[in-house]
Amino acid sequence: MPVVNRGKAVTGLITMDDLTNEEILEILADAERLLPVAKGELYLPLLQGRILGNLFFEPSTRTRMSFETAMKRLGGDVVNLGDVKTSSVVKGETLFDTIQMVDGYTDIIAMRHPRQGAAQYAQDSANVPILNGGDGAGHHPTQTMLDLFTIKQAHGRLDGLKVILAGDLRYGRTVHSLSHALTRFGCELVFASPELLRMPSEIVADLSDHGAKITETEDLYSMMNDADVVYMTRIQKERFSDEDEYAKVAGAYKLHANHLTDVKSGMIIMHPLPRVDEIHPSVDKTRHARYFEQAFNGVVARMALLCKLLHVPIPNDVTKAGGAL
Ligand code: CP
């Protein structure tokens, strides 16, 4: 398949390597300033006249809807591929051809695809920035930005924290992207998973080469007492080719409020959602639960990313720049 980028060096967000630490911190500061806009308390149409293309070839609730909310809160518009079953993909249209079309219809594209590497493939032939909303078991960098925002909101910093990533570390793209970012900010990492779902060895090796202090364990609960963040993940049933293999690890961790009696008072529990049974509803009302705020933070983090990639500056004082709804 030929790569037809029409001559521009277009920079999207495919992996966290596309952002420096300084850029990450700037985007988080931008996101903080945009909170009243994300909450609908202030109208600030910075992206009026711009169109986002939402191309989701896999199911999504949060990523797709928060991109759409982010764009609309900033006065922009959104076109959706919609259900793949009602698109020309079912007639055999290739990803390459689909990207060529949507590239012409929009100013920026948010994309999720089941194939690892698909977002980079799309970016290589597109003239508009691509925001990778998840490529198979590969990366999910916009999720990482909202995760970092949530961690910084709770702890006031990113550096030097002890973070447990638990569950499906093999197929979970959120933990692949997040572990890279946390390493760059000097966090200590604990990878808690069943043996079958360990973090891929090449990722562990890469993180170690970059100075990460990593502990790998199957015992989540005994590691929680001095953790600052416990990041739970769903076991990704859809990535297993063998149902029997899935049955061996399904329900491996079921975090209950009873497990939280000896944890640090400021420890936060995160989850990219959707959850299945890995966090019991008894946790929801505890001071530690942050997963619903985390999902809301997807709006503000994606607003800041859309502005960054579309080169639209965010005013220092959004209250002065914005108006009432
Ligand atoms: N966190 C996340 O990616 O959720 P969705 O699959 O609902 O987009």
Side-chain angles (χ1 to χ4, degrees), residues 119-139:
Q120 184 63 59
Y121 176 77
Q123 186 63 90
D124 288 343
S125 67
N127 288 293
V128 300
I130 304 282
L131 287 147
N132 180 7
D135 59 328
H139 299 267

Side-chain angles (χ1 to χ4, degrees), residues 1-5 57 93-103 115 121-122 124-126:
M1 178 71 69
V3 170
V4 185
N5 183 297
F57 297 89
E93 185 158 53
T94 62
L95 175 61
F96 180 83
D97 284 3
T98 303
I99 291 294
Q100 300 316 299
M101 297 309 104
V102 183
D103 185 60
R115 201 171 68 233
Y121 176 77
D124 288 343
S125 67

Side-chain angles (χ1 to χ4, degrees), residues 57 109 176 249 256 258 278:
F57 297 89
I109 294 172
H176 298 166
V249 289
H256 191 282
N258 293 340
E278 57 279 354

